Amino acid sequence: MLDETDRALLTLLTANARMPLKELAGRVGLSSPSVSERLRRLEERGVIRAFTADIDPARLGYTLQAIVRIRPLPGRLHLVQKLIEEIPEITECDKVTGDDCFIARLMLRDISHLDRILDGIADKAETSTSIVKAQPVLRRLPPLG
Amino acid sequence: MLDETDRALLTLLTANARMPLKELAGRVGLSSPSVSERLRRLEERGVIRAFTADIDPARLGYTLQAIVRIRPLPGRLHLVQKLIEEIPEITECDKVTGDDCFIARLMLRDISHLDRILDGIADKAETSTSIVKAQPVLRRLPPLG
DNA sequence: TGTGAAACAGCTCGGGT
DNA sequence: ACCCGAGCTGTTTCACA
C-alpha cells in the first residue's frame, strides 16, 4: 500500500512542505518526475490531506490555551455542537465516548477571554477546563508502517 | 505588528502551503518579490513555525484515535513525561492544570493496540480514556487580528 | 517596503528504456 | 515504474523609487 519511498517522502514533507521536488528526489534516490507522480497519487488517495502552514498562536496574540471538556445538558447535544463549530477560538474539537461528549482546544488572548467564552456555553452545557502549561509533544507523525 | 496583507497571506498558506508566490502575490495585490520578502520575515519572526503536510492517519492504518487523560502516581511525574515523549503513537500531548496532569492524543490501529499502550503506563499513572467518534472541528486558525 | 526586468532554478510533458 | 531532456513557469536578485 505504502512503500519505503512513500514513507520517506511523507516524513520529509511533514518537516518541510515547501521542499522542492528536486531536493525530495535527491533524498529518496529518484528523479523529479517520479517524485511528482508519487505526490500526485498520495494526494489523490487522500494520504496527504493538505499542505498547511503551522502558525504559532502565541505570535498572533493567543498566549493562553485551554482544553475544555463539554457535557451538553439533556436534549442540547446538537445545539451545543453547532455552537462549538461557530466559536472561532475553538481550533480543534473531538466528539468522544463517555460523559464528556466533546473535548475542545481553545486559543485565548487572556484569562478573561476564557471567561467570556465559557459564559456563552454555561446555560447549554457543563464544562471542565484545564489550562495548558506546556506542550511536551507537539503535533507529530505516528510510526509509518 | 501584523497588517492586513500578512493576515491574508497566512490564511492562504494555511489552506495551501504549496501555493506559488505568483498566485499569492496576485491574490493580495502585490508583486512576487514583495510576497517573498514578507514570508521570509514571517518565518524569521516565528509567526510561521513551519510548512507541513497534513497526513490522514486513517490512510496510514490508524483507524482509531483516543484522548487519554493521565495522572502520574506520586513522585512519578518526570518518569511519566519521559514515557509519554517516547511513545510514538502519542502524536500530541499537553501538560495542564488540575488533577489530570497530561492530556494526550493517541493514534491506534485497533482497540487491542490501545490496551497494549495503556498497559505500559498503568503502573506509573492513572488514566481516563475517551475514544474519538468524530471530529466536528479539525485543526483550524483562530481569528487573525 | 515596494516594483520591474533579467538571470536562474524548478516543474511538466513528451518520448524512450 | 522510472529516467532524460526540452520548453515553460515560477523564483530570486538587483537597481531603483
Side-chain angles (χ1 to χ4, degrees), chain A residues 86-100:
Chain A
E86 285 168 357
I87 297 173
E89 285 90 346
I90 295 181
T91 60
E92 253 181 79
C93 180
D94 295 274
K95 189 180 181 194
V96 298
T97 60
D99 287 341
D100 305 315

Side-chain angles (χ1 to χ4, degrees), chain A residues 49 66-72 77 80-85 87 89-106 126 128 139, chain B residues 56-57 62-69 91-94 103-108 129-140:
Chain A
R49 242 183 325 214
I67 308 291
V68 179
R69 294 184 281 135
I70 301 170
R71 296 172 293 284
L77 182 82
V80 168
Q81 175 159 345
K82 193 156 170 292
L83 194 61
I84 285 171
E85 287 167 14
I87 297 173
E89 285 90 346
I90 295 181
T91 60
E92 253 181 79
C93 180
D94 295 274
K95 189 180 181 194
V96 298
T97 60
D99 287 341
D100 305 315
C101 195
F102 298 102
I103 301 179
R105 179 187 301 274
L106 271 74
E126 290 178 9
S128 303
R139 234 168 81 75
Chain B
D56 184 349
Y62 296 95
T63 51
L64 204 62
Q65 287 188 40
I67 308 290
V68 180
R69 295 182 282 135
T91 60
E92 253 182 79
C93 179
D94 295 275
I103 301 179
R105 178 186 303 273
L106 269 74
M107 300 289 179
L108 305 158
T129 302
S130 302
I131 301 291
V132 175
K133 292 185 292 183
Q135 306 201 104
V137 179
L138 220 61
R139 232 167 82 76
R140 69 179 174 195

Side-chain angles (χ1 to χ4, degrees), chain B residues 2-56:
Chain B
L2 227 65
D3 68 12
E4 200 50 57
T5 305
D6 286 327
R7 284 193 280 268
L9 289 173
L10 292 181
T11 304
L12 289 166
L13 284 169
T14 300
N16 178 14
R18 284 181 85 87
M19 186 178 291
L21 286 185
K22 192 181 176 182
E23 189 175 345
L24 289 170
R27 301 222 192 176
V28 302
L30 286 180
S31 64
S32 306
S34 300
V35 172
S36 179
E37 174 65 10
R38 275 173 183 268
L39 295 193
R40 201 190 57 70
R41 286 167 161 277
L42 286 169
E43 285 194 74
E44 191 182 54
R45 283 198 283 164
V47 178
I48 297 175
R49 247 188 316 219
F51 293 102
T52 77
D54 176 22
I55 308 299
D56 184 349

Side-chain angles (χ1 to χ4, degrees), chain A residues 51-68:
Chain A
F51 293 102
T52 77
D54 176 23
I55 308 298
D56 185 349
R59 300 305 172 108
L60 299 179
Y62 297 95
T63 51
L64 204 61
Q65 288 188 40
I67 308 291
V68 179

Side-chain angles (χ1 to χ4, degrees), chain B residues 79-106:
Chain B
L79 177 67
V80 169
Q81 174 159 347
K82 193 155 172 292
L83 195 59
I84 286 171
E85 288 166 15
E86 285 169 358
I87 297 173
E89 286 90 348
I90 296 181
T91 60
E92 253 182 79
C93 179
D94 295 275
K95 189 180 181 193
V96 299
T97 59
D99 288 341
D100 304 315
C101 195
F102 297 102
I103 301 179
R105 178 186 303 273
L106 269 74

Side-chain angles (χ1 to χ4, degrees), chain A residues 5-25:
Chain A
T5 304
D6 287 328
R7 284 194 279 270
L9 288 173
L10 292 180
T11 304
L12 289 167
L13 284 168
T14 300
N16 177 16
R18 284 181 84 89
M19 186 177 292
L21 284 187
K22 192 181 175 182
E23 190 175 345
L24 289 169

